[in-house]
């Protein structure tokens, strides 16, 4: 740890205090992500995270009250990244609802496939953990609001709201099952099946 302290002092020589703190926080979050992706919540001991980040433990408490707060930051980082990927994919797909639906589903599943740790953070480990469960609920609400916004209706009728709610719940579960590896490895087949069911639900309302 002495070597870590020496390296840290050299790394941040002349760097403003606020920026140093932000960089250390980011290092801790990235270290926690690596540990969580590999070993789940049990891997997130304070000393283990600091060792992975090559930082003294005092820097942990400079940024986080405990590992639960750190875990929330890890989730938020990945959720923000997924949100950006999803928004870009849907925007690039153009105005057609079927194309936007396909692009959105593919973007979510591809995001998980590109780095399986993302699925573990965002979906696979959220059950039974209140920190992650609360964020999953908030993310699902945001997704529902986004789906309703795509209807371009200020006050969508109840059947549309019900269909959007069902789609949102199904999409969350689809991502969960994909992250857990229960849907195989054929991304195109999963996307095709999900899109067909989604469009059938849309046509029904």
């Amino acid at each position: 740890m002495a070597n870590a302290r020496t390296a840290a002092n050299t790394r941040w020589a002349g760097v403003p205090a606020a920026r140093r703190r932000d960089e250390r926080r980011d290092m801790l979050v990235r270290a926690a992500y690596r540990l969580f992706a590999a070993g789940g919540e049990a891997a997130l001991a304070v000393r283990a995270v600091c060792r992975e980040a090559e930082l003294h433990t005092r820097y942990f408490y400079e940024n986080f009250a405990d590992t639960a707060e750190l875990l929330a930051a890890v989730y938020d980082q990945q959720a923000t990244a997924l949100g950006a990927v999803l928004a870009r994919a849907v925007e690039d797909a153009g105005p057609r609802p079927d194309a936007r639906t396909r692009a959105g589903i593919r973007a979510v599943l591809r995001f998980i496939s590109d780095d399986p740790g993302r699925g573990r953070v965002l979906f696979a480990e959220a059950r039974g953990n209140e920190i992650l469960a609360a964020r999953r609920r908030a993310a699902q609400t945001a997704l529902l609001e986004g789906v309703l916004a795509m209807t371009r209706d200020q006050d969508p009728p109840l059947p549309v709201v019900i269909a959007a709610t069902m789609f949102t719940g199904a999409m969350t579960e689809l991502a969960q099952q994909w992250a857990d590896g229960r849907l195989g490895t054929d991304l195109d087949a999963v996307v095709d099946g999900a899109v067909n069911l989604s469009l059938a639900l849309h046509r029904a309302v």
Side-chain angles (χ1 to χ4, degrees), residues 3 14 39 50 61 64 73 78 99 103 109 120 140 144 151 155 159 165 176 196 202:
N3 290 337
C50 291
Y61 294 106
F64 303 102
Q78 293 303 316
L109 300 187
R120 188 166 198 175
Q140 191 162 329
L144 173 59
T151 67
D155 188 20
T165 301
Q176 165 78 60
N196 290 338
H202 177 75

Side-chain angles (χ1 to χ4, degrees), residues 15-90:
V15 178
R19 181 178 167 189
R20 289 201 302 268
R21 177 170 177 169
D22 288 344
E23 289 184 1
R24 288 192 291 262
R25 186 182 190 278
D26 183 62
M27 291 171 68
L28 289 165
V29 171
R30 286 188 281 113
Y33 171 74
R34 292 192 296 271
L35 292 174
F36 188 91
E41 187 178 357
L44 291 189
V46 172
R47 289 187 179 278
V49 173
C50 291
R51 186 163 51 248
E52 179 71 16
E54 298 185 344
L55 291 173
H56 192 277
T57 53
R58 74 171 180 271
Y59 295 129
F60 180 96
Y61 294 106
E62 173 187 62
N63 291 280
F64 303 102
D66 51 30
T67 54
E69 192 172 301
L70 172 61
L71 183 54
V74 171
Y75 183 95
D76 290 345
Q77 182 187 66
Q78 293 303 316
T80 298
L82 174 56
V85 167
L86 180 58
R88 186 166 58 250
V90 171

